[in-house]
Amino acid sequence: MAQSTTTVDTETHKLRTLILNARKPFVLRNFKMNWPCFEHTLEEWCANYDKEAHALTEFETMPCDQGNQSPHWERCRQTKQMTLTQFLEKQKSPKDDYWIGLNYKRVDSMPKSLRDGIDFSRLGFSEGSNDYSFWLCSAKTNTPCHYDSYGCNIVVQVYGRKSWLLFPPKTPLTSTRIPYEESSIYCEENLFAPNPEELQRLSKLHDSAYRCILEANDVLIVPKHWWHYVEAIDVSLSINYWIPLENDVKDQLKECLVKILIERFLHKSSDGEQKYVLNPNQLDDIQDDDEIFSILKHLYDSTNIDCPTLKSRRLNISRCPYQYIDEKTCENLIKELPADMLEYLRPMPKKDYENLINQNAKRFDALQIKVPSSTCPLSEIKKALLNSICEPTVVEHIVNEFFRRYKS
C-alpha cells in the first residue's frame, strides 16, 4: 500500500528535526532520493554530461605512490583535461599510482539536464536546495581530514562507495590553517598515509573514531564541526549539501578574522609563500581593507541585532535553528520512524580502527624508498606563528576580546 501524503509529510518533518538536532553522525540506508537525472546508469549520465558540456572537463590528479609525506593538499595536485566517458574508460584498467577526481563541482557549473529534479525536500529542506556540490572520482581519491566551520552536511551517495572516518569536535587532532581555505579547518595528520609519528598519535584516538562506508542510495548526516576524512573505495559519484544554521554567524565572524590575519600576514610575502599558504581557490579572493572590514562590521552587528544591509554574498541566506531539542526527544522521534531507516554511527572497535590506520600507514612506508622530502617555501618559524595565532581556541579568545573592546 502506498504511503499517504500526510504520512510522508510527517516523516519528512521528523527527519528534518533529527538532522537539525543531530549530536552524532547518522546514516539513512538505501534511502532513495528519486532524482530523475540519476534514473540511468553512471555511464549514461557521464555520456549525457559530455554531450551537454561541448568541451573537455578539467579533473584533478594526484600520485598515490609519491608525495604522501603530507595530506593530498590541492596545491600538490595536477589537472588533466578529458571527457567523463574517458574518465570511466580509464577506470576499467585502473592504476594504483594516481587518482583522478572531479571534486567540489558546484551546481551552477553543471548542465541543467544533469541535475534535473535534485532537491532535498524528502529530507525536509526545500528552501535552499540549489546550494550543493558534485564529486565524481576514482578509487583512492581523498579529502584531507578537516571540519567545516559552517552548517551541517547532508551527503548523498549516488553511485559507488566511499569511506568516511569521523571524529567528534573535541578530538585532539592538530589543527592547521595551512593551507588556508575559508570555512575549512584541516588537521596536520595525514590519514591517507600516516608517518610513524602520526600513526602513534592517531592510535590514541581509537575511542573517538567513527566510520561508515556509504553505498549507492545511502545518505550521511555530518553534524556541525565533526572532523572527517573521506576516501573513495571505487568509482564514486556523491552530492553534498550544507545546511546554513542560525549559529553560523559567529563562526563566520571568526573566519573573517582569520582571513584578515592570514592575508595581512602574507601582505609582503613571496609568490611561493602565498601559493603554499593559500588554497588555490583563495588566491584570487584576497579582499582589500574596505571590503573585509565592512563584512566584519556587518557580522559583528548581526550577532547583536537584525542588520538589514547585507554586504557579503555569503550572508543573504535563510538559516535554520540548530540543536533545539534534547537527545531524549530525538530518541522518541526515531522510534516513530520505520524500523531500520536510521542508523547512528558508533565508535569503531579498537582492533578495526588500528587495522585501518596501520593499513594506510603502509602507503607511507613504501613511499620512503622513492621520494626525498619536499622543500617548503615557508620557514618553520613563520608556519608555527601563523598556526598559533589562527588556532581555533586562540581565535575564540580574540573574538571575545574584540566584542569586549569594540562597540559600533
Side-chain angles (χ1 to χ4, degrees):
M1 181 182 294
Q3 287 182 299
S4 69
T5 303
T6 303
T7 302
V8 172
D9 288 346
T10 302
E11 180 179 288
T12 297
H13 175 72
K14 289 173 182 173
L15 286 172
R16 177 187 172 96
T17 302
L18 288 167
I19 291 168
L20 290 175
N21 289 278
R23 272 77 171 177
K24 293 181 180 180
F26 66 81
V27 181
L28 303 172
R29 293 291 185 189
N30 198 26
F31 189 88
K32 295 183 179 180
M33 299 295 284
N34 299 322
W35 292 333
C37 58
F38 296 122
E39 289 178 347
H40 305 294
T41 64
L42 178 59
E43 289 76 12
E44 290 171 314
W45 187 85
C46 288
N48 289 333
Y49 183 103
D50 293 336
K51 290 177 185 177
E52 294 279 349
H54 305 297
L56 297 178
T57 300
E58 186 173 272
F59 284 77
E60 293 180 317
T61 68
M62 182 71 193
C64 294
D65 63 344
Q66 62 182 19
N68 290 336
Q69 300 101 320
S70 65
H72 288 179
W73 306 124
E74 286 185 43
R75 65 168 178 259
C76 302
R77 303 171 191 173
Q78 299 176 333
T79 59
K80 189 170 185 178
Q81 303 274 342
M82 68 184 82
T83 66
L84 270 63
T85 300
Q86 289 171 333
F87 161 76
L88 290 181
E89 283 296 316
K90 288 180 177 293
Q91 308 316 308
K92 292 179 180 178
S93 55
K95 297 181 179 179
D96 288 334
D97 54 351
Y98 67 92
W99 56 253
I100 309 175
L102 183 61
N103 301 318
Y104 200 58
K105 188 78 171 176
R106 300 296 293 173
V107 59
D108 53 11
S109 66
M110 301 288 289
K112 189 174 184 300
S113 63
L114 275 297
R115 47 188 166 95
D116 179 36
I118 293 180
D119 68 36
F120 295 83
S121 56
R122 193 174 175 210
L123 297 168
F125 299 93
S126 57
E127 64 269 35
S129 295
N130 288 326
D131 187 17
Y132 56 88
S133 303
F134 289 76
W135 306 72
L136 174 67
C137 59
S138 68
K140 292 190 178 180
T141 303
N142 65 90
T143 303
C145 186
H146 69 286
Y147 69 82
D148 302 307
S149 301
Y150 317 141
C152 64
N153 198 351
I154 296 175
V155 183
V156 180
Q157 189 67 27
V158 182
Y159 298 106
R161 296 176 299 159
K162 268 188 174 177
S163 166
W164 282 71
L165 182 62
L166 304 104
F167 301 91
K170 299 298 183 182
T171 303
L173 290 160
T174 311
S175 68
T176 180
R177 297 315 299 257
I178 304 172
Y180 165 70
E181 180 179 34
E182 186 201 351
S183 82
S184 296
I185 299 179
Y186 292 99
C187 75
E188 293 183 349
E189 289 80 10
N190 180 6
L191 277 84
F192 179 80
N195 64 37
E197 182 181 341
E198 291 170 332
L199 183 61
Q200 187 175 15
R201 292 203 305 268
L202 290 170
S203 65
K204 298 176 182 178
L205 306 180
H206 59 86
D207 289 336
S208 302
Y210 295 68
R211 190 193 187 204
C212 72
I213 294 176
L214 288 187
E215 302 192 7
N217 296 316
D218 289 346
V219 178
L220 172 65
I221 306 303
V222 182
K224 186 173 181 176
H225 290 176
W226 272 67
W227 295 96
H228 47 282
Y229 166 73
V230 188
E231 181 176 335
I233 297 174
D234 40 40
V235 177
S236 164
L237 174 63
S238 56
I239 294 175
N240 75 306
Y241 165 57
W242 283 279
I243 305 167
L245 305 172
E246 289 178 353
N247 64 359
D248 284 342
V249 176
K250 188 172 182 181
D251 290 304
Q252 286 184 308
L253 192 147
K254 292 177 186 177
E255 286 297 280
C256 186
L257 285 173
V258 170
K259 185 175 175 68
I260 291 170
L261 292 170
I262 289 178
E263 290 181 356
R264 275 63 193 168
F265 186 96
L266 294 172
H267 178 59
K268 292 187 177 181
S269 64
S270 68
D271 184 62
E273 286 179 327
Q274 288 196 18
K275 288 182 178 179
Y276 183 82
V277 173
L278 299 177
N279 209 53
N281 63 345
Q282 299 291 151
L283 287 167
D284 297 324
D285 194 34
I286 297 175
Q287 294 170 304
D288 61 32
D289 280 2
D290 287 344
E291 184 177 9
I292 194 67
F293 282 97
S294 176
I295 292 172
L296 178 63
K297 184 179 185 304
H298 169 76
L299 289 167
Y300 171 85
D301 292 338
S302 297
T303 60
N304 295 287
I305 58 172
D306 292 330
C307 183
T309 306
L310 298 170
K311 296 184 173 69
S312 169
R313 66 186 183 276
R314 304 173 192 275
L315 304 179
N316 192 16
I317 54 177
S318 174
R319 300 184 184 280
C320 300
Y322 192 56
Q323 294 188 349
Y324 51 88
I325 63 175
D326 59 32
E327 292 185 75
K328 184 64 177 178
T329 305
C330 290
E331 291 173 7
N332 291 333
L333 278 177
I334 294 171
K335 293 175 184 176
E336 297 173 10
L337 293 173
D340 301 324
M341 172 183 279
L342 187 151
E343 171 192 329
Y344 272 104
L345 300 191
R346 299 177 181 275
M348 292 181 71
K350 181 179 179 181
K351 185 176 180 181
D352 291 350
Y353 174 68
E354 290 177 345
N355 286 342
L356 176 65
I357 60 172
N358 284 325
Q359 190 65 32
N360 287 2
K362 292 179 182 178
R363 295 164 172 168
F364 182 87
D365 295 339
L367 151 82
Q368 297 310 299
I369 304 170
K370 301 181 180 180
V371 181
S373 297
S374 58
T375 58
C376 172
L378 194 70
S379 68
E380 287 301 317
I381 193 169
K382 287 184 178 180
K383 187 189 299 185
L385 178 59
L386 190 56
N387 272 325
S388 296
I389 62 177
C390 295
E391 200 276 331
T393 59
V394 174
V395 173
E396 178 76 29
H397 285 301
I398 294 173
V399 168
N400 292 338
E401 187 66 13
F402 172 70
F403 271 79
R404 187 181 74 82
R405 290 172 177 266
Y406 176 70
K407 305 296 179 186
S408 62

